[in-house]
């Protein structure tokens, strides 16, 4: 078995793990990233695209912002639509900040490039990863290129997603998990066509929710609410475009084109309130999942690793363990607020199976109140741009 040592082992090479590596690197803290997939696979994953201003600031803090600043799209607001009638939430005037539209795929590429340029080790195709002695002197084992490897470390950061090994290794983690599964999914399509609007449109339609989003001035991302049991093979490009035109009120602004990617994702709210045990800490999707309606998944991962990095920096620079000891409480305070916002936006914009007349009337009353109330719009804007770290 080949053995080496580092200060922090990061399990998972998605945005959470990559961002944490850069936050540590700029402070001179050594780390190694273990990723079970290839680099090409990791970079190709199609995920989120709306960045809170706090996430943008973190990317600038680690100096991985050049391409984002050149190519990202600043959005000062978004549209809420109900049965074809739309009104705008003016983020900039209500909350004093904007959001940035820049795809998670691009962030992953930028962060990986930074790791290579700065000499932060990433082991791709790390198989059979196991975490050991997390209560004492932790170490991680894995297989790579047919050989067994061991890394001894001070701490382990579990950034390996909902299905990763990190949460499963944490004793009694399942007893601390809280979950809500929604009775529908999102069908997404990505196409190299101009967006239908310069801002995002969240539409509540009698046939179900729809979202007009984007990744650039020439690449669009659209979603429609569908049953979780549906198969993507049953949805041709033409069928998706027709459904989008119906739910978004096509007035000639939707440009159709061949799909680059199509997928159906189930929706759930999930929180593991046990985010640390001994020398193991969870961050990102390993600890929580939000419905994508509020654009919080990637941004919560960023705030988690910002808190975890602060704790590790305090430990290594000042011998202060308070930041690590308080990590879970600090992270959960922000996580539950983001969960609430994502849940409330989902409740507001989707048609639930078996929705009663009363429930629909309450939904419309809520939307009408938001339309007429600057205070209600301000609350939405503050949450959408991201609560302070």
């Amino acid at each position: 078995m080949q053995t080496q040592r580092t200060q922090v082992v990061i399990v998972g090479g998605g945005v959470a793990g990559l961002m944490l590596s850069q936050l540590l690197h700029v402070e001179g803290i050594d780390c190694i990233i273990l990723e079970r997939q290839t680099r090409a696979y990791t970079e190709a994953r199609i995920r989120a695209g709306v960045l809170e201003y706090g996430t943008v600031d973190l990317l600038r803090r680690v100096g991985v912002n050049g391409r984002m600043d050149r190519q990202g799209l600043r959005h000062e607001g978004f549209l809420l639509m109900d049965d074809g009638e739309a009104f705008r939430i003016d983020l900039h005037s209500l909350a004093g900040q904007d959001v940035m539209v820049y795809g998670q795929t691009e962030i992953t590429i930028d962060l990986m490039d930074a790791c290579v340029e700065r000499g932060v080790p990433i082991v791709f195709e790390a198989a059979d990863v196991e975490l050991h002695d997390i209560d004492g002197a932790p170490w991680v084992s894995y297989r790579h290129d047919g050989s067994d490897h061991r890394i001894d470390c001070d701490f382990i950061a579990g950034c390996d997603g909902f299905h990763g090994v990190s949460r499963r290794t944490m004793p009694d983690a399942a007893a601390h998990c809280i979950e809500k599964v929604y009775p529908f999914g999102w069908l997404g399509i990505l196409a190299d066509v101009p967006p239908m609007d310069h801002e995002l449109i969240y539409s509540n339609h009698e046939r179900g929710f729809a979202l007009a989003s984007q990744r650039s001035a020439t690449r669009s991302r659209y979603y429609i609410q569908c049953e979780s049991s549906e198969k993507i093979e049953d949805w041709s490009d033409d069928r998706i475009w027709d459904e989008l035109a119906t739910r978004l009120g096509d007035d000639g602004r939707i440009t159709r084109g061949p799909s680059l990617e199509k997928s159906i994702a189930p929706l759930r709210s999930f929180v593991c309130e046990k985010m640390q045990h001994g020398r193991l800490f969870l961050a990102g999707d390993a600890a929580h999942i939000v419905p994508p309606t509020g654009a919080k998944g990637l941004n919560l991962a960023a705030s988690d690793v910002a808190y975890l990095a602060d704790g590790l920096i305090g430990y290594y620079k000042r011998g202060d363990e308070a930041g690590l000891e308080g990590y879970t409480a600090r992270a959960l305070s922000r996580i539950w607020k983001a969960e609430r916002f994502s849940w409330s936006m989902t409740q507001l914009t989707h048609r639930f199976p078996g929705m009663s007349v009363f429930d629909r009337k309450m939904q419309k009353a809520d939307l009408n109140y938001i339309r007429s109330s600057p205070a209600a719009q301000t609350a939405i804007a503050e949450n959408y741009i991201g609560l302070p770290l």
Side-chain angles (χ1 to χ4, degrees):
M1 178 179 285
Q2 301 181 39
T3 303
Q4 62 187 125
R5 198 186 196 299
T6 191
Q7 290 174 304
V8 182
V9 171
I10 300 172
V11 184
V15 168
L18 293 167
M19 178 78 81
L20 178 59
S21 78
Q22 295 307 301
L23 289 166
L24 298 179
H25 175 77
V26 297
E27 296 292 337
I29 299 170
D30 293 332
C31 62
I32 297 173
I33 302 172
L34 300 179
E35 168 56 47
R36 68 184 181 91
Q37 301 288 356
T38 66
R39 176 170 181 172
Y41 180 94
T42 305
E43 290 182 342
R45 287 184 289 210
I46 306 298
R47 297 287 178 84
V50 178
L51 308 183
E52 298 174 354
Y53 77 94
T55 303
V56 171
D57 287 347
L58 281 175
L59 288 165
R60 290 179 177 150
R61 171 177 157 185
V62 298
V64 186
N65 58 296
R67 203 158 65 96
M68 176 189 70
D69 287 340
R70 293 191 303 271
Q71 300 178 12
L73 306 175
R74 300 193 70 89
H75 281 203
E76 296 185 355
F78 66 90
L79 296 175
L80 277 174
M81 181 183 293
D82 185 60
D83 283 339
E85 295 185 12
F87 62 95
R88 184 171 183 266
I89 303 296
D90 190 328
L91 301 173
H92 193 82
S93 66
L94 292 164
Q97 288 286 356
D98 310 328
V99 293
M100 178 80 77
V101 172
Y102 187 63
Q104 183 167 337
T105 301
E106 308 307 320
I107 298 171
T108 302
I109 292 170
D110 294 345
L111 287 168
M112 282 190 178
D113 286 346
C115 286
V116 172
E117 292 167 4
R118 298 169 180 180
V120 176
I122 307 178
V123 179
F124 292 102
E125 298 181 87
D128 303 325
V129 174
E130 294 185 17
L131 318 183
H132 307 270
D133 199 12
I134 61 174
D135 285 305
W139 56 283
V140 180
S141 63
Y142 67 97
R143 285 186 60 79
H144 181 68
D145 285 343
S147 299
D148 294 327
H149 296 259
R150 169 176 174 154
I151 308 176
D152 294 287
C153 57
D154 300 324
F155 300 98
I156 302 171
C159 304
D160 50 345
F162 184 77
H163 299 289
V165 67
S166 297
R167 191 175 69 250
R168 296 199 307 269
T169 303
M170 192 170 284
D172 303 321
H176 298 267
C177 294
I178 302 162
E179 183 176 34
K180 175 182 175 61
V181 177
Y182 295 85
F184 41 71
W186 272 21
L187 188 160
I189 182 171
L190 184 73
D192 274 336
V193 295
M196 74 172 290
D197 194 89
H198 69 285
E199 294 180 336
L200 273 64
I201 304 173
Y202 295 81
S203 174
N204 184 328
H205 188 270
E206 64 180 356
R207 293 181 60 86
F209 168 81
L211 170 62
S213 185
Q214 56 196 257
R215 293 295 177 267
S216 71
T218 59
R219 178 168 289 187
S220 296
R221 182 71 162 161
Y222 289 94
Y223 298 94
I224 54 175
Q225 176 186 342
C226 67
E227 294 185 14
S228 300
S229 59
E230 294 197 55
K231 305 297 183 184
I232 195 65
E233 296 79 14
D234 297 330
W235 284 87
S236 67
D237 287 3
D238 286 341
R239 183 185 176 193
I240 296 173
W241 290 120
D242 288 345
E243 193 64 30
L244 285 164
T246 298
R247 299 188 193 187
L248 290 166
D250 186 10
D251 53 5
R253 292 186 297 159
I254 294 180
T255 303
R256 302 184 179 213
S259 62
L260 300 174
E261 186 269 350
K262 293 187 292 187
S263 59
I264 295 176
L267 265 66
R268 62 162 56 93
S269 298
F270 171 86
V271 177
C272 180
E273 292 197 307
K274 186 169 186 177
M275 294 181 65
Q276 62 191 100
H277 181 92
R279 296 291 177 119
L280 170 61
F281 298 82
L282 303 182
D285 287 357
H288 45 73
I289 300 288
V290 292
T293 325
K296 295 302 168 197
L298 180 154
N299 294 294
L300 269 187
S303 63
D304 286 351
V305 298
Y307 296 148
L308 182 53
D310 286 348
L312 290 166
I313 293 164
Y315 174 86
Y316 284 112
K317 298 295 186 182
R318 302 183 298 277
D320 180 4
E321 297 192 36
L324 291 176
E325 292 170 355
Y327 167 68
T328 291
R330 189 180 181 193
L332 281 176
S333 176
R334 197 173 194 275
I335 288 164
W336 276 116
K337 290 168 186 164
E339 290 279 356
R340 182 208 66 82
F341 179 67
S342 298
W343 165 81
S344 66
M345 285 287 286
T346 303
Q347 294 287 132
L348 188 69
T349 56
H350 290 67
R351 298 295 175 100
F352 283 71
M355 176 177 274
S356 68
V357 173
F358 179 84
D359 290 338
R360 174 58 184 152
K361 289 289 186 180
M362 291 299 96
Q363 195 178 61
K364 288 188 72 69
D366 203 1
L367 284 159
N368 287 334
Y369 173 67
I370 294 168
R371 181 197 297 267
S372 63
S373 169
Q377 291 183 26
T378 299
I380 289 175
E382 288 177 348
N383 283 271
Y384 198 86
I385 66 166
L387 299 176
L389 294 180

